[in-house]
Amino acid sequence: MQEILHFIGGEFKASQSNQWIDNYNPAEGKIYSKIADANHKDVELAYQAADKAFPAWSETPIEKRSKILLKIADLIDENFETLAKAESIDNGKPVSLAKAVDIPRAAANFRFYAKAITQFSGKAFESQGLKTHNMTLNQAIGVVGCISPWNLPLYLFTWKIAPAIAAGNTVVAKPSEITPMTAFKLAEICVKADLPQGVLNIVHGRGQTAGQAIVAHPQIKAISFTGGTATGQHIAKTAAPLFKKMSLELGGKNPNLIFADCNYEKMLSTTVKSSFANQGQICLCGSRIYVEDSIYEQFKTDFIAKTKALKIGYPLEASTEFGALVSKEHLEKVAAYIKIAQEEGVKVLTGGKQIQLKDHKEGYYFEPTILEVDNNNCRINQEEIFGPVVSLMKFSSDEEALNLANETTYGLSATIWTNNLNRSMRFSQKIEAGIVWVNTWLNRDLRTPFGGIKQSGLGREGGFEALEFFTEQKNICITFE
Ligand code: NAD
């Protein structure tokens, strides 16, 4: 059985304890590889390797660092088919989605930061008449920790690692123990790209052990984390007393506001995607759909019909649009929410049940599910399900729509469908979210700041924001005669 090994100091290693975790193929419900299960001793080894590599890497000329990042991006492209297939098998996502989104974006992350770092520099402040000059240096922090979730495995792993190493840091990174395969393959790519040993160290294992050891390590000076809000709270409690820099990208319960004056066809097809892409397992999915009452019934009929037409199937089949959920535990969590919905008197309009695929009866498939809600405070509308479950609710005024959208502890993203410019601007200003999409969804320019407010996170990633996070600014003040 294939072994997924740690990558420490440029070498592939099992855990010192020789402990392993079973890795499941969610489309078949079967164990297909085993993952080295790190504890604090393996994390310490990874830290030592990163610490050793830091002086040389942080002093490597930017052009050279940039070239290595570009080489990694090229190698991701060269291994496109293999990586897409690996991501699909490990996560259960349709291979078509891995090809369209996950793998191209992983390459784009490296390519973007290879270029961004060449444009990133300090500032100068000339105090005229005082014979004083101030300037700032953006210095690499040292060894940093990057921890990522299972929903967009290589996409989010590289979104952290690329800016961290571009800025001259060395890294101890941990992908999710549920989807470690493409991070393991990235290590092989880094060897081929001649990334110096110890610049990127990847440990595999559980959050409570390996992840916790990274967060609690006194010499790892910054933590970039993407995952659930409860985990983020726990990480913050550990890292804050150690005065670590923290970037926390957490959960969401995002509103999708649909007004009668929108471009209906575009809205409808995009809303199917924003509801069910990646089986609804994207932090930016619009899981609370609010529809203006004059088009509510029409929308309901059309949306149910389009959802029912989604091709659910084995993820490696090219035509599959909707694959398997990531794990048995997650499938059970989603199913439990349908029970909660029924207990709360919420109506199931379509879906709501586990599916047994003809040739893959043990796989973790669940129907795309649409619920109808009349109380915004029900658990279905307040808690992140992170699966193929959306709720519909109608509204009759702008004010009501805004209140419904903001009535949540989360604040990651929001989508508004309207052709009224004034309304789109008013809502964009008032909606409590880190990103607002008007007449579009998941439309990302990597230069823009990305992150959430409220319980969706702390800090911003993307563009120069990530390079700022992964550097410390130092002010130098010089007087002259
Ligand atoms: P999770 O919080 O369970 O795990 C995320 C990562 O943290 C994993 O690698 C895990 O092993 C690790 N981890 C768990 N406990 C830890 C601990 N105590 N210390 C250190 N590390 C620990 O999240 P998940 O189930 O993998 O991912 C789903 C969640 O991620 C959802 O809430 C989703 O909204 C969120 N998410 C957010 C964004 C964003 O950009 N805001 C993007 C994708 C996913």
Side-chain angles (χ1 to χ4, degrees), residues 147-151 156 174-177 206-207 211-212 215 225-228 231 234-235 249-252 283 384 386 412 450:
I147 301 177
S148 58
W150 50 256
N151 65 321
L156 288 173
K174 193 193 88 61
S176 169
E177 63 275 32
R206 299 171 214 275
Q212 175 70 18
V215 175
F225 168 78
T226 299
T231 315
H234 183 80
I235 287 176
E249 300 291 342
L250 309 177
C283 55
E384 186 187 41
F386 209 56
L412 191 53
F450 178 87

Side-chain angles (χ1 to χ4, degrees), residues 303-322:
F303 182 50
I304 291 172
K306 270 210 179 277
T307 298
K308 281 186 164 168
L310 280 172
K311 186 160 183 305
I312 304 170
Y314 190 61
L316 286 179
E317 270 168 28
S319 59
T320 292
E321 294 171 314
F322 186 96

Side-chain angles (χ1 to χ4, degrees), residues 146-152 155-156 159-160 174-179 205-216 223 225-232 234-235 238 248-254 281-284 326 330 333 384-386 410 412 450-452 456-457 461:
C146 298
I147 301 177
S148 58
W150 50 256
N151 65 321
L152 300 166
Y155 173 135
L156 288 173
W159 183 230
K160 298 179 177 305
K174 193 193 88 61
S176 169
E177 63 275 32
I178 302 167
T179 53
R206 299 171 214 275
Q208 297 87 334
T209 47
Q212 175 70 18
I214 295 172
V215 175
I223 301 293
F225 168 78
T226 299
T229 294
T231 315
H234 183 80
I235 287 176
T238 309
L248 302 174
E249 300 291 342
L250 309 177
K253 188 75 187 175
N254 312 304
Q281 302 165 135
I282 300 181
C283 55
L284 303 162
V326 75
H330 195 52
K333 175 186 160 185
E384 186 187 41
I385 302 173
F386 209 56
Y410 292 104
L412 191 53
F450 178 87
S456 290
E461 295 187 333

Side-chain angles (χ1 to χ4, degrees), residues 244-265:
K244 293 186 190 218
K245 278 184 111 173
M246 263 185 287
S247 168
L248 302 174
E249 300 291 342
L250 309 177
K253 188 75 187 175
N254 312 304
N256 179 5
L257 299 174
I258 297 170
F259 289 89
D261 67 357
C262 69
N263 175 338
Y264 189 81
E265 288 309 318

